[in-house]
Amino acid sequence: MNKIKFLVAAFFAVILFSCEEKKTDEPPVTVVSVDDIPAIVEAHGTVGEGTSMNVLEVINDEGDTLSIMINDQTVIGGVAAGDEIMIVYNVKNDDYIASTAINLTALQHVWSQKGADGGEQSLEINPGGRASTYSMNIDYSSWEVRDGMLLLHSPKKIGDESPAVVDTFEIMQLTADSLVLVHGDLVTEFECYN
C-alpha cells in the first residue's frame, strides 16, 4: 500500500514539475486607456464654405458642422463647396483627422473605356445610389461608398437562389476626366465623356 501511495505522490510531483518547466516568459502586457484609442467614424454630408487647404468643413446628414483635418493624399476627387462627400475620419482627443474623403459628386458620371473587343463599354454612377452598365460583361444596378471603398451591386434575379453580387473597389484616382478602380490585382481605368 505504501508503494502505491509513493507512486501516486511521485506521479503528481512529476506532473507539477513538468507544468512549471513548460511556463514561458510572456511579454509584458501594455494597458492602453480607452481614451487613447482613436475612434473611427464615417460621415456623409456636404462640403461647407469654411473648407480650406488643411481643414474640410462637412455639414453631415444630421445638420452638424464638422471641421476635419485633411491633406492632399486624403481627399479623392477634390472638394468644392456644395459637393456631396463621404469621409472616414479618426477622433482622438477631440481632434478630427481624415483618413479618406471621397467626393461623391465627382464620382457621379458616365465612365467609359475600351473593352477587350475594342468596343466602348460604360459604367454610369447616378445620384441616389443607382448604377447602370453598358456593353459590359457584368450588370450593376446600385452603388455606395462605405469605409472609403466603392461597392457596386449586381441585381438579384428573380428565381435565382445565388446571392446578389457586390464587388468592392478601391478608388485609386478620381479627377474630372479619369477614374481608376482597383479590385484585387485588377486595375480598371475609365474616362469621363460628359
Side-chain angles (χ1 to χ4, degrees):
M1 187 73 166
N2 285 339
K3 285 185 183 182
I4 293 175
K5 288 182 184 178
F6 176 75
L7 288 175
V8 170
F11 175 74
F12 283 116
V14 168
I15 289 175
L16 289 173
F17 181 71
S18 65
C19 288
E20 287 188 27
E21 279 187 18
K22 289 183 182 178
K23 288 185 181 178
T24 59
D25 291 333
E26 293 183 19
V29 175
T30 304
V31 177
V32 177
S33 168
V34 173
D35 295 335
D36 293 336
I37 300 173
I40 298 173
V41 183
E42 188 172 58
H44 175 266
T46 306
V47 177
E49 298 279 338
T51 297
S52 66
M53 188 165 86
N54 297 319
V55 177
L56 175 63
E57 182 182 80
V58 176
I59 296 93
N60 68 14
D61 293 341
E62 291 78 33
D64 298 327
T65 300
L66 308 172
S67 295
I68 303 170
M69 291 185 273
I70 58 171
N71 61 42
D72 289 342
Q73 293 78 27
T74 305
V75 179
I76 299 171
V79 291
D83 284 352
E84 182 183 7
I85 197 156
M86 178 63 78
I87 187 162
V88 178
Y89 61 96
N90 298 310
V91 180
K92 184 171 179 177
N93 300 329
D94 295 330
D95 291 328
Y96 297 173
I97 304 164
S99 56
T100 303
I102 298 178
N103 186 327
L104 302 181
T105 301
L107 187 61
Q108 297 172 31
H109 290 289
V110 176
W111 300 98
S112 300
Q113 66 178 185
K114 295 285 183 198
D117 62 357
E120 189 171 297
Q121 54 188 22
S122 300
L123 167 64
E124 184 173 2
I125 299 177
N126 294 306
R130 293 179 330 248
S132 302
T133 55
Y134 307 97
S135 302
M136 293 180 75
N137 59 359
I138 190 162
D139 185 28
Y140 293 121
S141 60
S142 63
W143 68 276
E144 64 181 310
V145 172
R146 194 174 330 145
D147 296 327
M149 306 291 271
L150 174 63
L151 306 177
L152 292 172
H153 301 263
S154 292
K156 178 146 175 71
K157 297 183 175 50
I158 296 174
D160 188 359
E161 294 191 20
S162 60
V165 175
V166 179
D167 291 327
T168 303
F169 297 90
E170 182 179 355
I171 303 171
M172 291 300 296
Q173 180 180 349
L174 176 59
T175 64
D177 59 359
S178 177
L179 173 65
V180 179
L181 302 175
V182 177
H183 179 72
D185 293 334
L186 179 66
V187 177
T188 306
E189 298 181 28
F190 293 94
E191 294 180 356
C192 182
Y193 294 111
N194 60 347

